Amino acid sequence: MKKELKLKVNGQPYDIFVKPKTLLVEALRDHLALTGTKRGCNSSSCGACTIMLNGMAVKSCSILALQANGAEIVTIEGLAKGTELSPLQKAFLDHGSYQCGFCTAGMLMATTALLTENPKPTKQEIKEGIDGNICRCTGYNSIIRAVTAVVKGEYKEAK
Amino acid sequence: MSEYSVIGKRVHRVDGPEKVTGSAKYTFDLVLPSMLYGKVLRSPHPHAKILKIDTRKAKRLVGVKAVVTGKDTLGRKQGIWRRFPELCDEEILCREKVRYIGDPVAAVAAIDEDTAEEALDLIDVEYEPLPAVFDPLEAIKEDAPQVHDGVELNININRHIEWGDVDEAFKKCDHIREDQFKCSSQAHVCMETHDAVVSYDYGGKMTVWTSTQSSYYIQRLMADMTGLREGDIRVIKPPTGGGFGSKFELDSAQFCAAILSMKLCKPVKIVLSREEEFTATKRRTPMYYFLKLGAKKDGTLLAKEARVITEGGAYTAMGATALYLTGFFSSFPYKYPNYRYDGYRVYTNTAVTSAMRGFGAPQSTFVGESQLDMMAEDLGIDPIEIRRKNGMTPNYEVPGQAFIQSCGLHQCLDKIEEHVKERGKLPPNHGIGVSAYGFMSGGIFNWFDTPYAFSAAVVRINIDGKVDLFTGACDIGQGSDTTLSMICAEELGVRLEDIRIHAADTGICPPDLGAWGSRETLMNGNAVKMAAADCKRQLLEFAAAKMAPNIVYDFEIKDRWVHLVDRPERGVSYFDIVKGAIRGKDGNAIMGRGHYTPHRKGMISPAYSFGVQAAEVAVDTETGRYKLLNVTTAHESGTVINPVGIEGQLEGAIMMAGGYGFCEDQPMDEGKILNPSIADYKLIRSLDMPETDILEIDTYEPEGPFGAKEAGEGLTNPTAGAIGNAVYKAVGVRINDLPITPEKVLKALKEKEKKKK
Amino acid sequence: MSYHCPVCNKVSSSALDLARHMIGRGDKVHRDWIKSKGFKYSELLTLQFKSFGGEGYRALSEVLEKETKVED
């Protein structure tokens, strides 16, 4: 028996019907066709599905879609303003902070949430901010360098 | 040599924008009209006869469109060592016997994943469990259960490498050591699990979208198994979420989706769950290593003998290659005048062991570098000094095996020695361990039995000067799309943004063996360079006709400027030359072809990269826990084409290789992997990742494009050995079996205390 | 002087190298030839991996030295 789910994703309101057991990541990917958010495990341990829910970094596989009823969600698709990439996205490009790219959406959402909450984190705080995200390709240090560059003010926000 | 315009520059990867915006579409994301979802039923037994499979209830479930078993296949066996039929031993969908927990027995296609999952529970399989064997040292006994009929002692393959006279040489040694080691398994943990969408149409043609390291291998193996013509199968590789050696063999997601699709003439998608990924895909080969090393008292190594027994798992897969390479790289990177290796790959009723980044060399480097440090200590010689004394040099021949052209090992040793000196006196329970390696840039072997060149490329120049590059090379995250585009742009004399790469689609690209053995930069790079040179030659023909300079002048193209080498101010824009050249060819786009297959390059590889790594650890003697503080690597990979790419490969390799030494493991009980989830499989996360420093050494490899050779796999070799040596330096305990866990360190410390008393 | 494999005619430079080829190839036809000379394939392998030293290969190479040598 499907239930109604109302939520805002990347500034756009959606009104859909989902089964009660549908996870938020499934609602985003399968119902709203926002496939930028990935899924890498069944134990809420890898972080590939990280999104921002009401300003906080959340693993979207760890909550039911209906639990997000009425929430404001930002996914990877919502970071750029039009064609202008966010400072973190630009920094990732410059620092090669991605290789296969499968963890990248989760990493960008985790780091975006981190800087939203704490605009001047220390290196240790940056490491803690992405401790829930596994990357098998980069060894994390290029991601930390990219975030550090943004913290230092090397990138401007799009207007 | 003139400065390069493209290669060596720090650039954005060509697939960057789509990856940082979430717009890259992986196989994982692919949805097609009328697509069905598939799931695979797997054996719960490590060894059993299949007596009966009853699929009737499953077929009747609403929403289920097809259920298939081994009876729906041609009953063929496949394996990647196609030239040796006895090594093609894997049916994928088992017909009579299952040989490991996870061996596929049936597959379902349904309207959604939940229905497919439900249908699996409705399939009744009657098994007759058979005695099983899990440890290769047990499986190699006369009375052990036979995993495959007719294979004596379960010895799947044996390999022997020998030169000189090891027995005589040991008699002349001043000091001999014999040591035993155990190297563990390791899971690839690609972020994107194995997945495939297969669409078989009413015209009898099949299209496969899959996360793969070799679209050509999948095409050929799929043809072998389905009976379709190779040319009637098109394999497309979308952006792929990691490979690391797990994705260039035909897997259950691809094959089961194909069989289902052929039954239904509808697209079928199968995505392996993370648990299936851990239990039912291939993994790093665990090895029992027995090493004997002999030296003179001044540290000259005279003889080395290695005996290795590897846990093969249920099928051959790429195990034969890992077996050979571990034996070959056990002789690296030192000059042994006498050497003997005997390797045995033994079938067991466990998940198949195959290729994983490093391919037997992380194991051989861990054991070899550990033993060498022990030998150095016995002789009272500095660990860097003993490596320097015996290290390979340029133009060295490994007797009967390989010819090493460029080799920067000694410069790497110098740099690491400097680094260790600079660190000075360390706090208590801190230690720095050193480890050296050498690795191949792709293999010369053709056990796949392909008639094609190992790498090939086609370059097409269009009227607006934009270049299309077609190649079979597979970018699995290592950045080959970018590196090859850079090589193409450099050779042709244009900018990176002028190149558009189309890769790994067997329908439009020439075949390439794929991304394994660290071969793409050297082998595919050579093919791309040749194709670009072909186009350049055609353009310069026209330029020469148009400009008609004195015959003594040479032409070149650099940064879109076609000019005389000696008079660079005399030239014409590349764009104008292109327009004219196309007109001159009756309106045909300029096309160039290139290929590369190593010929007469020894038994292993056309080129080798070398490096030395120093790992610094801090051990807590109360708990045995230790922190990886810093890993500094001095390495050489010939000319650096893509510096951002190489740094990424190095840091990523440290995470993976460090994990191999530090924490990654797949403990098993009666053939069942006990930690098949990311929650339980420990790997290095951001908080455990050490600081990484890179010291580049300049070398030039004549065999490689612009002098380049491999980087991605070699760097996975040294870290486990460096960690082992560092722990010993820190607290004086030697752990000979991987991973080096806090429990093992603590136990060893306690034993050391007991011995003191 | 060279040594020709009696099964597949591969040419080796020494009897020991030929033994390595025959044992390593391990397919039925090579094993059958080895068996016909009175060896048990699994015993040769066992000799080889049980200890350091090359007894398994040496035993076979002695037979190959006599039977497969070809004077050039």
Side-chain angles (χ1 to χ4, degrees):
Chain A
M1 187 57 208
K2 289 191 180 169
K3 288 210 152 89
E4 192 179 8
L5 170 65
K6 286 187 172 155
L7 71 177
K8 220 187 215 175
V9 184
N10 302 327
Q12 171 142 342
Y14 290 95
D15 190 344
I16 57 174
F17 282 81
V18 298
K19 288 186 193 159
K21 71 184 192 82
T22 305
L23 300 171
L24 179 57
V25 64
E26 289 164 341
L28 292 170
R29 285 183 51 85
D30 304 332
H31 293 250
L32 303 184
L34 293 167
T35 57
T37 305
K38 306 298 179 205
R39 200 172 170 189
C41 75
N42 287 326
S43 49
S44 296
S45 329
C46 77
C49 66
T50 307
I51 49 103
M52 272 170 69
L53 187 146
N54 295 339
M56 283 190 308
V58 168
K59 287 180 180 142
S60 57
C61 74
S62 65
I63 69 170
L64 298 172
L66 289 172
Q67 286 178 290
N69 198 37
E72 287 215 20
I73 302 211
V74 181
T75 67
I76 183 77
E77 290 92 344
L79 287 190
K81 290 200 169 87
T83 54
E84 180 83 18
L85 300 178
S86 75
L88 274 170
Q89 286 173 310
K90 287 185 196 158
F92 268 49
L93 281 178
D94 285 345
H95 291 80
S97 312
Y98 56 93
Q99 290 182 32
C100 85
F102 208 75
C103 79
T104 306
M107 282 290 183
L108 278 166
M109 295 319 299
T111 50
T112 302
L114 170 72
L115 294 187
T116 306
E117 195 185 304
N118 176 4
K120 295 264 179 236
T122 60
K123 195 166 175 189
Q124 182 65 15
E125 284 169 329
I126 297 173
K127 285 188 184 184
E128 282 164 13
I130 59 170
D131 187 49
N133 296 69
I134 294 180
C135 176
R136 200 47 161 163
C137 299
T138 66
Y140 310 101
N141 289 351
S142 56
I143 296 170
I144 294 166
R145 288 194 290 271
V147 178
T148 304
V150 173
V151 169
K152 282 200 182 128
E154 289 174 29
Y155 296 87
K156 298 266 177 296
E157 273 281 358
K159 294 278 177 281
Chain B
M1 198 183 297
S2 57
E3 214 217 15
Y4 297 121
S5 334
V6 182
I7 68 177
K9 304 276 185 282
R10 302 187 72 85
V11 299
H12 289 179
R13 295 163 66 112
V14 299
D15 52 10
E18 55 176 28
K19 282 182 177 171
V20 302
T21 54
S23 45
K25 299 281 180 281
Y26 297 75
T27 307
F28 190 73
D29 304 317
L30 188 57
V31 174
L32 294 177
S34 51
M35 186 175 84
L36 299 167
Y37 295 82
K39 285 269 172 205
V40 180
L41 183 67
R42 301 177 182 277
S43 165
H45 300 287
H47 199 195
K49 278 201 195 128
I50 300 172
L51 298 176
K52 206 170 86 170
I53 306 182
D54 187 348
T55 58
R56 287 172 299 177
K57 265 191 274 173
K59 281 182 176 148
R60 285 199 296 264
L61 183 66
V62 173
V64 169
K65 299 300 178 192
V67 183
V68 296
T69 66
K71 293 212 169 81
D72 296 290
T73 69
L74 296 177
R76 293 181 184 173
K77 294 183 182 181
Q78 56 85 47
I80 198 138
W81 274 60
R82 292 170 72 244
R83 224 164 103 204
F84 301 84
E86 69 275 13
L87 298 180
C88 298
D89 54 10
E90 192 175 359
E91 290 176 306
I92 303 184
L93 265 179
C94 303
R95 285 156 77 94
E96 274 148 31
K97 213 164 86 131
V98 292
R99 294 179 174 83
Y100 72 99
I101 297 176
D103 219 349
V105 296
V108 172
I111 53 170
D112 56 48
E113 272 190 83
D114 285 340
T115 308
E117 191 81 56
E118 208 184 317
L120 290 187
D121 285 334
L122 297 174
I123 300 175
D124 267 315
V125 187
E126 216 180 295
Y127 294 102
E128 181 191 309
L130 299 168
V133 64
F134 309 111
D135 187 304
L137 294 180
E138 290 300 313
I140 210 167
K141 295 186 173 152
E142 286 274 4
D143 53 355
Q146 269 210 320
V147 180
H148 286 266
D149 291 333
V151 180
E152 288 178 74
L153 302 182
N154 285 313
I155 294 180
N156 170 215
I157 311 144
N158 71 87
R159 285 288 176 266
H160 180 86
I161 303 174
E162 183 164 3
W163 64 81
D165 189 335
V166 160
D167 302 309
E168 276 309 305
F170 276 126
K171 293 183 190 148
K172 301 199 180 84
C173 292
D174 293 323
H175 187 60
I176 296 176
R177 282 199 65 100
E178 279 187 38
D179 296 283
Q180 283 184 40
F181 301 85
K182 181 156 192 302
C183 298
S184 48
S185 188
Q186 188 178 17
H188 305 82
V189 197
C190 305
M191 288 310 288
E192 183 185 11
T193 59
H194 286 62
D195 52 22
V197 175
V198 182
S199 181
Y200 181 78
D201 63 36
Y202 288 97
K205 310 251 187 305
M206 179 184 283
T207 309
V208 180
W209 291 265
T210 183
S211 184
T212 183
Q213 296 174 229
S214 176
S215 30
Y216 166 63
Y217 276 176
I218 304 307
Q219 178 193 27
R220 182 62 252 167
L221 290 168
M222 189 71 89
D224 286 347
M225 286 294 271
T226 57
L228 294 175
R229 282 176 82 168
E230 183 182 298
D232 284 335
I233 299 176
R234 178 176 182 180
V235 179
I236 299 170
K237 180 202 77 70
T240 286
F244 312 114
S246 68
K247 290 178 180 168
F248 59 96
E249 302 175 67
L250 190 65
D251 63 55
S252 57
Q254 294 152 348
F255 185 58
C256 293
I259 300 298
L260 288 164
S261 186
M262 286 175 85
K263 242 191 158 53
L264 298 165
C265 285
K266 283 197 158 66
V268 177
K269 179 177 187 178
I270 296 185
V271 177
L272 294 197
S273 69
R274 184 55 68 182
E275 189 183 333
E276 284 176 289
E277 192 76 5
F278 274 114
T279 57
T281 61
K282 312 219 161 55
R283 59 195 174 102
R284 190 183 288 290
T285 309
M287 301 183 177
Y288 285 99
Y289 243 97
F290 305 89
L291 288 185
K292 184 173 173 182
L293 183 66
K296 295 220 80 84
K297 57 171 172 275
D298 69 354
T300 308
L301 300 172
L302 283 190
K304 181 170 180 176
E305 186 165 359
R307 268 181 304 127
V308 180
I309 295 181
T310 75
E311 180 186 329
Y315 302 102
T316 305
M318 280 295 281
T321 309
L323 187 74
Y324 195 87
L325 292 180
T326 200
F328 175 72
F329 285 111
S330 267
S331 74
F332 264 56
Y334 308 106
K335 297 178 178 176
Y336 290 101
N338 305 280
Y339 181 78
R340 178 191 288 142
Y341 163 75
D342 285 294
Y344 304 86
R345 185 179 191 271
V346 183
Y347 282 127
T348 51
N349 292 113
T350 55
V352 182
T353 68
S354 187
M356 181 166 173
R357 198 171 178 186
F359 231 152
Q363 295 93 319
S364 63
T365 310
F366 168 68
V367 307
E369 292 299 288
S370 298
Q371 191 182 48
L372 190 58
D373 254 30
M374 294 191 253
M375 174 64 86
E377 192 184 39
D378 290 348
L379 298 175
I381 296 178
D382 175 77
I384 302 253
E385 198 44 49
I386 200 170
R387 288 170 169 86
R388 187 177 276 136
K389 206 175 183 66
N390 298 283
M392 286 176 172
T393 49
N395 303 313
Y396 171 69
E397 185 183 330
V398 182
Q401 294 287 314
F403 190 70
I404 314 249
Q405 288 191 86
S406 67
C407 170
L409 179 64
H410 286 257
Q411 296 96 301
C412 295
L413 284 166
D414 291 341
K415 274 260 172 332
I416 291 296
E417 188 177 49
E418 242 176 74
H419 161 76
V420 175
K421 275 205 183 89
E422 266 166 34
R423 291 296 295 138
K425 187 161 157 64
L426 299 172
N429 299 330
H430 282 230
I432 297 183
V434 167
S435 177
Y437 76 90
F439 198 71
M440 63 198 230
S441 304
I444 56 94
F445 354 91
N446 190 10
W447 26 251
F448 191 74
D449 208 20
T450 181
Y452 293 118
F454 282 13
S455 285
V458 172
V459 171
R460 182 184 76 198
I461 307 181
N462 304 295
I463 195 69
D464 63 350
K466 187 81 188 200
V467 180
D468 286 297
L469 167 61
F470 299 89
T471 171
C474 292
D475 193 329
I476 47 171
Q478 88 284 43
S480 59
D481 278 357
T482 305
T483 305
L484 295 172
S485 300
M486 291 171 85
I487 290 173
C488 187
E490 185 69 52
E491 180 63 29
L492 200 42
V494 298
R495 298 190 186 156
L496 184 57
E497 64 253 39
D498 296 321
I499 311 292
R500 185 178 179 170
I501 186 166
H502 310 265
D505 176 342
T506 63
I508 57 172
C509 306
D512 175 76
L513 300 192
W516 57 272
S518 219
R519 57 180 297 286
E520 295 290 30
T521 299
L522 188 141
M523 295 203 186
N524 215 284
N526 276 336
V528 168
K529 188 167 189 281
M530 183 176 162
D534 187 357
C535 282
K536 184 162 80 176
R537 188 189 41 78
Q538 296 173 56
L539 291 181
L540 294 185
E541 247 174 37
F542 178 73
K546 182 182 167 71
M547 288 168 65
N550 190 301
I551 195 65
V552 302
Y553 288 117
D554 255 326
F555 277 94
E556 182 55 277
I557 313 179
K558 236 176 176 50
D559 199 30
R560 299 168 166 175
W561 183 240
V562 182
H563 60 280
L564 305 182
V565 177
D566 294 323
R567 294 281 170 87
E569 69 282 5
R570 284 172 58 183
V572 184
S573 150
Y574 155 81
F575 296 105
D576 291 337
I577 295 293
V578 165
K579 291 194 178 80
I582 289 178
R583 180 62 190 87
K585 282 192 186 293
D586 276 335
N588 285 294
I590 309 291
M591 293 195 59
R593 298 175 66 173
H595 63 275
Y596 178 85
T597 305
H599 288 142
R600 294 188 302 276
K601 300 284 175 220
M603 302 282 287
I604 313 289
S605 179
Y608 301 84
S609 294
F610 294 84
V612 183
Q613 201 167 66
E616 188 172 332
V617 306
V619 183
D620 177 348
T621 51
E622 296 274 311
T623 58
R625 275 216 179 98
Y626 59 98
K627 259 190 99 49
L628 300 174
L629 299 176
N630 176 290
V631 175
T632 297
T633 314
H635 85 114
E636 53 97 17
S637 331
T639 304
V640 176
I641 307 278
N642 180 359
V644 177
I646 276 204
E647 282 159 21
Q649 285 293 286
L650 187 147
E651 290 178 337
I654 289 172
M655 181 269 188
M656 188 170 275
Y660 188 48
F662 184 57
C663 56
E664 293 188 40
D665 199 7
Q666 293 191 288
M668 277 201 213
D669 181 32
E670 305 269 294
K672 192 179 164 76
I673 293 174
L674 298 175
N675 59 346
S677 87
I678 293 203
D680 300 316
Y681 182 88
K682 291 194 182 64
L683 30 61
I684 290 180
R685 290 176 182 258
S686 57
L687 285 173
D688 298 313
M689 185 70 191
E691 294 300 309
T692 50
D693 291 302
I694 307 170
L695 306 164
E696 291 279 350
I697 303 293
D698 250 317
T699 51
Y700 184 89
E701 171 53 52
E703 206 47 42
F706 299 106
K709 46 184 179 168
E710 80 88 33
E713 250 186 290
L715 292 159
T716 332
N717 296 353
T719 321
I723 290 174
N725 288 343
V727 168
Y728 182 77
K729 281 267 189 282
V731 291
V733 297
R734 180 58 74 183
I735 310 296
N736 281 3
D737 84 283
L738 291 174
I740 300 171
T741 59
E743 291 84 3
K744 291 176 189 167
V745 173
L746 192 60
K747 185 163 172 240
L749 282 169
K750 290 200 167 122
E751 272 165 25
K752 189 166 160 234
E753 272 308 300
K754 250 200 235 152
K755 274 205 190 113
K756 260 202 213 153
K757 292 185 178 140
Chain C
M1 190 143 60
S2 56
Y3 299 82
H4 293 221
C5 176
V7 175
C8 68
N9 219 29
K10 179 176 193 298
V11 178
S12 292
S13 53
S14 73
L16 191 61
D17 193 67
L18 187 60
R20 180 188 314 150
H21 153 75
M22 295 190 77
I23 295 179
R25 189 64 184 81
D27 61 3
K28 193 170 184 307
V29 281
H30 284 81
R31 292 205 321 259
D32 283 345
W33 191 92
I34 293 173
K35 192 169 156 191
S36 73
K37 295 297 155 189
F39 292 104
K40 204 164 171 223
Y41 183 71
S42 55
E43 257 171 33
L44 288 180
L45 289 182
T46 312
L47 264 175
Q48 199 64 16
F49 71 71
K50 279 226 152 105
S51 62
F52 289 117
E55 280 119 72
Y57 288 85
R58 231 195 306 272
L60 181 61
S61 73
E62 274 159 23
V63 172
L64 295 175
E65 180 71 50
K66 294 194 195 97
E67 298 201 15
T68 68
K69 186 157 62 185
V70 171
E71 306 281 348
D72 298 318

